[in-house]
Amino acid sequence: MADQETELKPDSGEDSDDEEVLEESPCGRWQKRREEVDQRDVPGIDNAFLAMDTEEGVEVVWNEVQFSEKRDFRAQQDKIRQTFDNLCQLDHPNIIKFHKFWTDVKNDKPRVIFISEYMSSGNLKQFLKKTKKNNKTFQLKAWKRWCTQILSALSYLHSCDPPIIHGNLTSDTIYIQHNGLIKIGSANVIAPDAIHHHVKTYNEDLKNVHYTAPECEDSEQMTTKVDIYSFGMCALEMATLGFASSGDSPAVSDSDIITASLELVESPLQQDFIKSCLQRDPKDRPTARELLFHKVLFEVPSLKLVAAHKIIKSN
């Protein structure tokens, strides 16, 4: 695919509102607006704006990844394109959809621009804060439903060839639609190593350190089990409406957060489920598929169970 330049709209010189079109995609289908999208918390993404899909008539997100120099981009160009080609082919109801990407190399600092699905209802962290503020409880039934959807998405990513590691699963990158559908935002899949080492904004000291698996501190070789650890922290956060510790203080250890929060989980099955995800040794953690069949999530409806027993007896 040849590099394509993004078409810039001339400045009218007048006061502009959020509806003003700042740029268009090379094909003219997607139009970037001035309004920024603040629900993205993904390392490697420099800017995210609201945009319009003129073919479908829906709002989308216009994401930008900016490189410091052209030579950095050219050295990784093929790998980056292959990565984004693969991302655009992902199709799962619980994963935010990638629509299209292109490159803009007209300026000294090249950009990769990609269009993704817009989630207007906010993320999991925002929901948990509102629920806790209103003195509401998070029902076990809802917890099961959301865990199942997140695990379904992870199982899909991990079953790809080669497996896709999310790498940044937090309550900030899990989004909720008004109908209760959960979607996980892409993450390390958005900013793979090819981008991490050269983008302007990437920082090793990530904000959500508590979600990071222990093995990530000592090794760059991550496996799908890092996602299981991050999911376990999200499951714990959902069960307790926020970690039972002093918030964002880096002085609080992960083990202290986990221990204090698990004490607030009343269901023994829930505790066992979460503990299995948070094992320090990645080999001891189950896969996403195995977790879907854990006793706390997998239940055979009573009517089906009665019917099964009836069939067995009749035979």
Side-chain angles (χ1 to χ4, degrees):
M1 180 192 299
D3 287 338
Q4 303 178 66
E5 296 180 356
T6 303
E7 299 176 6
L8 298 177
K9 290 289 183 181
D11 188 1
S12 62
E14 301 176 353
D15 292 337
S16 302
D17 58 17
D18 291 339
E19 299 298 318
E20 179 188 1
V21 176
L22 302 181
E23 294 183 49
E24 281 187 351
S25 61
C27 63
R29 175 175 175 178
W30 291 284
Q31 296 179 337
K32 170 184 170 183
R33 295 178 179 173
R34 185 177 298 276
E35 182 180 352
E36 293 191 42
V37 178
D38 60 2
Q39 66 182 29
R40 291 293 184 270
D41 184 28
V42 180
I45 293 183
D46 293 272
N47 301 295
F49 297 90
L50 201 61
M52 175 59 72
D53 182 341
T54 59
E55 286 189 12
E56 299 294 333
V58 297
E59 292 179 321
V60 292
V61 179
W62 174 297
N63 306 272
E64 299 179 352
V65 178
Q66 184 172 312
F67 284 72
S68 300
E69 298 179 10
K70 280 188 177 182
R71 68 170 180 263
D72 293 335
F73 174 74
R74 287 170 181 161
Q76 302 289 334
Q77 196 167 359
D78 291 340
K79 187 174 182 181
I80 291 169
R81 284 177 175 166
Q82 182 62 53
T83 298
F84 279 94
D85 277 333
N86 292 338
L87 290 175
C88 289
Q89 294 179 35
L90 294 179
D91 187 17
H92 189 279
N94 300 118
I95 297 177
I96 289 179
K97 179 66 178 172
F98 277 71
H99 296 293
K100 188 74 174 179
F101 82 96
W102 65 93
T103 58
D104 176 18
V105 295
K106 186 179 68 173
N107 299 318
D108 292 335
K109 296 182 179 180
R111 296 180 299 167
V112 176
I113 301 169
F114 63 93
I115 304 298
S116 61
E117 184 179 2
Y118 177 50
M119 302 296 290
S120 59
S121 299
N123 59 36
L124 177 60
K125 178 164 286 186
Q126 293 168 340
F127 174 86
L128 295 177
K129 283 183 178 180
K130 289 179 182 178
T131 304
K132 189 173 184 177
K133 184 178 180 180
N134 294 328
N135 296 317
K136 301 291 184 179
T137 58
F138 195 58
Q139 298 298 321
L140 180 60
K141 183 178 180 181
W143 180 88
K144 290 179 180 181
R145 186 185 304 117
W146 286 10
C147 283
T148 299
Q149 293 183 67
I150 298 169
L151 285 171
S152 177
L154 289 180
S155 181
Y156 173 81
L157 290 175
H158 296 172
S159 63
C160 293
D161 185 20
I164 295 177
I165 301 171
H166 188 283
N168 188 40
L169 188 68
T170 72
S171 56
D172 284 313
T173 57
I174 299 173
Y175 301 92
I176 308 168
Q177 288 187 326
H178 64 278
N179 59 358
L181 183 67
I182 290 287
K183 294 204 175 194
I184 65 173
S186 308
N188 214 37
V189 291
I190 285 181
D193 290 340
I195 295 179
H196 272 176
H197 295 309
H198 298 289
V199 289
K200 175 170 67 70
T201 57
Y202 181 66
N203 188 343
E204 292 293 340
D205 185 20
L206 299 180
K207 173 184 172 183
N208 296 304
V209 293
H210 297 315
Y211 299 91
T212 306
E215 64 267 23
C216 294
E217 300 173 2
D218 304 319
S219 173
E220 295 182 357
Q221 299 299 318
M222 297 194 303
T223 69
T224 54
K225 293 301 181 70
V226 303
D227 288 342
I228 301 303
Y229 186 92
S230 300
F231 164 76
M233 292 300 286
C234 291
L236 180 58
E237 188 176 5
M238 286 191 291
T240 59
L241 292 179
F243 299 122
S245 69
S246 54
D248 299 327
S249 173
V252 180
S253 68
D254 290 347
S255 59
D256 291 338
I257 291 175
I258 294 169
T259 301
S261 299
L262 278 173
E263 291 177 356
L264 302 177
V265 180
E266 297 180 358
S267 167
L269 280 178
Q270 261 185 306
Q271 283 195 8
D272 178 75
F273 177 86
I274 295 170
K275 285 179 180 178
S276 68
C277 299
L278 300 178
Q279 296 295 315
R280 292 196 65 83
D281 188 342
K283 295 179 181 178
D284 294 334
R285 296 175 208 147
T287 65
R289 179 172 175 78
E290 289 169 343
L291 286 168
L292 284 168
F293 289 94
H294 189 279
K295 289 181 180 180
V296 75
L297 296 183
F298 186 74
E299 296 178 353
V300 179
S302 56
L303 184 59
K304 291 184 178 179
L305 195 60
V306 171
H309 280 295
K310 187 69 175 178
I311 292 173
I312 293 172
K313 287 181 180 180
S314 64
N315 289 337

